[in-house]
Amino acid sequence: MSCLSPSQLQKFQEDGFLVLEGFFSADECAVMQQRIGKLVADMDVPVHCRIEFSTREEEQLRTKGQGDKDYFLSSGDKIRYFFEKDVFDKKGNFLVPPEKSINKIGHALHAYDPVFRSVTHSPKVQALAKSLGFQMPVVVQSMYIFKQPHFGGEVVPHQDSTFLHTEPLGRLLGLWIALENATLENGCLWFIPGSHTGGVSRRLVRTGDGSKPDVRFLGSEPVRDASLFVPTPAQRGDLVLIHGEVVHKSEKNLSDRSRHAYTFHLMESLGTVWSPENWVISLSAGSSPQLSCPFPHCTLERPLRAGPGPSRGSCGTQVPAPCRLPSCQREVESVPLCFLPARVCAPQPCREKGGR
């Protein structure tokens, strides 16, 4: 069942997260894993672009951290590779096999890889978005997360809207697909139920003044009571819905089993302003960040039609020209995310191509 039942919708509204069991089949999961295996086998990242990814604030902002690297900060419309900590020597050479060192691949698999584009824009994802109240969703980023055995990095407590900020809040939704069983041992997700109702405690913003690093945090992440977190194991094929403001984390994977997942974020573009200070921007048009559509994906000008290839769309976000509002907006009244079901305009990739 792709659409949420009234009880599921109520549960999601109360907790800020929801597990949909068996949303994807074993075959669908296998196709995604096979495709990512091909991408990893073909991976060729120059030494100077090899970044050890971290979710700890002090490591994100340090010199040569991801917040100081254009390879990371310009990845919003590309397919790029990021690695676990302590997998390189001082010269940037691999200390472990490359396929065992990778932390994640992001951030535009949904736009430029045919397998992940098909999953992201599948009819059942569209139906799910509709049942959650989306009217004009756009995909703002996507990632394949490996959570490698023995040293797969922790993800510290955070809110997704810290990094993907909207005005108003409540317009961001994460969809997290378990491609392998996620257990207590290999680093399943943990949530604080109901924590999505208290706003956002901090924001990651671009400095915009040429200083280094290129991003900084506004505000601070409060110390969270560990007893408030509840573990959320998931079986292969389960889909976890994640409200943009719910607090969640995952522990380091010390087991001998990986925990692969594909995740992407939807934003309701109707009546929503995407912050120009967000780290995710698109430079593919060759113009300045504030003048280019911030997503490699634009909202299609006709509703609920999925196609195998790219279609020309128009941006559904409230940003300066050359982006323009799509015709499917018409006179539809904006409603809160996850409140009322409404017509959905399916996002499709624009003609521009992204690099790796």
Side-chain angles (χ1 to χ4, degrees), residues 104-332:
K104 70 174 183 176
I105 298 176
H107 288 92
L109 286 163
H110 64 278
Y112 301 122
D113 184 88
V115 169
F116 292 98
R117 183 173 65 226
S118 176
V119 170
T120 307
H121 307 305
S122 62
K124 59 185 173 184
V125 169
Q126 294 182 30
L128 176 63
K130 182 175 182 179
S131 71
L132 282 163
F134 280 95
Q135 298 178 61
M136 290 170 54
V138 291
V139 186
V140 299
Q141 71 166 14
S142 56
M143 300 177 287
Y144 191 102
I145 303 170
F146 292 79
K147 204 75 164 181
Q148 299 284 2
H150 306 301
F151 57 81
E154 67 173 337
V155 177
V156 299
H158 69 285
Q159 299 166 289
D160 291 344
S161 289
T162 288
F163 309 96
L164 308 170
H165 195 77
T166 65
E167 293 290 345
L169 290 171
R171 301 305 185 92
L172 184 75
L173 176 72
L175 293 88
W176 191 96
I177 305 164
L179 300 179
E180 296 177 323
N181 293 344
T183 66
L184 289 172
E185 293 73 29
N186 70 355
C188 69
L189 297 173
W190 293 66
F191 292 91
I192 298 181
S195 57
H196 61 301
T197 61
V200 176
S201 59
R202 62 174 182 155
R203 287 185 58 195
L204 179 71
V205 300
R206 286 182 177 260
T207 56
D209 58 5
S211 62
K212 292 293 183 179
D214 294 299
V215 294
R216 62 190 175 100
F217 283 95
L218 303 178
S220 60
E221 190 71 20
V223 177
R224 308 285 184 181
D225 183 348
S227 67
L228 298 178
F229 284 93
V230 297
T232 309
Q235 297 296 305
R236 188 185 193 198
D238 290 354
L239 172 65
V240 185
L241 302 180
I242 305 174
H243 191 285
E245 284 106 75
V246 71
V247 178
H248 57 293
K249 67 173 184 175
S250 66
E251 301 294 343
K252 188 174 183 177
N253 182 8
L254 299 177
S255 76
D256 58 1
R257 292 175 292 107
S258 59
R259 193 224 64 187
H260 288 201
Y262 173 58
T263 181
F264 59 94
H265 286 86
L266 296 180
M267 184 193 79
E268 172 55 66
S269 65
L270 182 59
T272 306
V273 176
W274 175 258
S275 173
E277 297 178 313
N278 283 339
W279 79 269
V280 180
I281 58 174
S282 170
L283 300 177
S284 60
S287 58
S288 59
Q290 64 269 26
L291 294 180
S292 61
C293 180
F295 315 120
H297 249 178
C298 295
T299 304
L300 195 65
E301 293 191 8
R302 53 187 182 277
L304 292 177
R305 179 173 177 176
S311 301
R312 180 169 295 280
S314 56
C315 180
T317 57
Q318 295 182 2
V319 296
C323 296
R324 58 189 176 85
L325 293 175
S327 60
C328 60
Q329 177 174 333
R330 296 199 179 99
E331 299 299 325
V332 181

Side-chain angles (χ1 to χ4, degrees), residues 98-109:
E99 68 274 10
K100 297 296 184 181
S101 67
I102 190 163
N103 174 287
K104 70 174 183 176
I105 298 176
H107 288 92
L109 286 163

